[in-house]
Amino acid sequence: MASRLSFLAGFAGLCGALCLAPAASLAGDTVTVFAAASLKNALDAVNAACEADVGEKATISYAASSALAKQIENGAPADIFISADLDWMAYLSEKNLTQKDTEVKLLGNSIVLVAPAESAASVEIKDGFDLAGLIGDGRLAMANVDAVPAGKYGKAALEKLGVWASVEGKVAQAENVRAALALVSTGEAPLGIVYKTDAAADRKVKIIGTFPEGSHKPIVYPAAITSEAKDDDAGAFLKCMQSAKAKALFEEQGFTVLSPVASN
C-alpha cells in the first residue's frame, strides 16, 4: 500500500497532460462533451434525461479539467467543455478555443474532508486544526494540487487555515478527484479532500468535515461550446443542461445550480 501511494504522490507531478481520457477517438455523429471527472454521476443522468430533447445521447469524456483543456488546445474533437473551475475555461477562452457567447457559469460545489465509511475520525475544520495528527502515518489523498481544480481548491483552503505546511509531505496526489476519492474508498488513504458531490456518490466514504467557503475561491463549473464544435446539437445539449429537469438531477447529486433555468 505504502509503495503504491508513494508512486501516486510522485506520478501526478509527472503526469500532467499525459494523463488523458481517451478522447481523441470520440469524434462522430454525436455531441462530444469533455467534462470534469467530478460531474460523472450527475451528468450521466442529465445526458440520459436530455436525449429526447437533443435527439441523441452525448458522448462524454471525463477527466481532470486541466487534462481536458490541454486536449482541446491540441485539437481534440470536443463540442462542449465543462470545467470544474473558471481558470481552465479562461485558459481556452483566451486562446479563442471557446464560443465566448455560450460561456455560462453552470454549477457550484464545496470541498470536504472524507474518510472510509467505517472510520471513527472526526474533526472541526478551522484555523490550525490538527490535520497532520488525523492523518498519522497515512497519506492525505488529493487531486493534483498544481493543476486539477479540486486539488487547487484543497491546497488553497489548507494554506488559508494554516495547516498546509504540516501535511504537504503526507499528500498522495492523484490525476483527478475521482482517483483521489478511490484511494479513500479502498482504504489506501485514511483521509482525502474531494468535492461534496464525490462523497455523495460513494457509499464507502463519509464526510467528516466541510471546508469553510471563505477558505478558498468559490467553486464554479463553467460550460461552453468550443470554437471547433462540429455537431449541430451542441447548443441543444448546452441548453438542456440548464433545463428544469437537469437542475433537479444536478441538485440530487449535491450541486448548486448557478445558471438560470432555460426556457423551452
Side-chain angles (χ1 to χ4, degrees):
M1 182 186 301
S3 61
R4 183 185 173 197
L5 286 172
S6 296
F7 170 77
L8 284 172
F11 178 67
L14 296 172
C15 183
L18 296 177
C19 290
L20 304 177
S25 62
L26 293 178
D29 296 328
T30 62
V31 178
T32 300
V33 180
F34 282 14
S38 52
L39 285 165
K40 179 167 175 47
N41 295 67
L43 194 55
D44 279 352
V46 169
N47 190 19
C50 286
E51 183 176 3
D53 293 348
V54 178
E56 61 187 32
K57 185 174 286 188
T59 299
I60 306 178
S61 178
Y62 297 101
S65 302
S66 52
L68 294 173
K70 289 291 187 178
Q71 278 192 302
I72 292 170
E73 182 183 18
N74 290 327
D79 296 306
I80 293 174
F81 175 53
I82 313 173
S83 175
D85 72 357
L86 295 171
D87 292 346
W88 285 110
M89 184 62 74
Y91 178 85
L92 292 184
S93 183
E94 290 166 4
K95 295 176 181 293
N96 295 315
L97 293 173
T98 65
Q99 297 181 27
K100 292 180 175 60
D101 60 345
T102 69
E103 293 177 14
V104 59
K105 294 179 180 179
L106 186 65
L107 303 168
N109 210 338
S110 57
I111 52 171
V112 297
L113 187 65
V114 294
E118 67 277 7
S119 173
S122 63
V123 66
E124 180 185 356
I125 297 180
K126 59 182 182 179
D127 287 346
F129 76 107
D130 187 17
L131 180 57
L134 281 173
I135 299 168
D137 294 330
R139 304 295 288 273
L140 176 66
M142 296 178 67
N144 185 298
V145 300
D146 296 316
V148 180
K152 291 162 60 181
Y153 290 127
K155 179 181 177 182
L158 295 178
E159 288 178 331
K160 180 73 172 180
L161 296 170
V163 299
W164 173 250
S166 67
V167 301
E168 183 177 5
K170 296 175 178 282
V171 173
Q173 296 187 56
E175 65 267 26
N176 61 59
V177 69
R178 286 299 175 97
L181 178 69
L183 290 176
V184 181
S185 179
T186 57
E188 296 186 68
L191 296 174
I193 297 176
V194 299
Y195 295 118
K196 178 180 69 174
T197 52
D198 295 309
D202 192 333
R203 295 181 180 178
K204 294 182 179 180
V205 305
K206 66 178 182 180
I207 296 173
I208 64 170
T210 299
F211 286 86
E213 289 184 3
S215 64
H216 56 81
K217 293 193 298 185
I219 297 173
V220 177
Y221 288 67
I225 298 174
T226 67
S227 59
E228 298 298 319
K230 305 297 183 186
D231 196 289
D232 293 338
D233 292 320
F237 190 84
L238 182 62
K239 181 178 180 180
C240 192
M241 285 196 296
Q242 300 170 72
S243 66
K245 61 184 174 183
K247 180 177 186 290
L249 292 169
F250 282 127
E251 289 178 342
E252 184 178 304
Q253 294 293 327
F255 288 97
T256 301
V257 174
L258 303 178
S259 63
V261 174
S263 59
N264 293 329

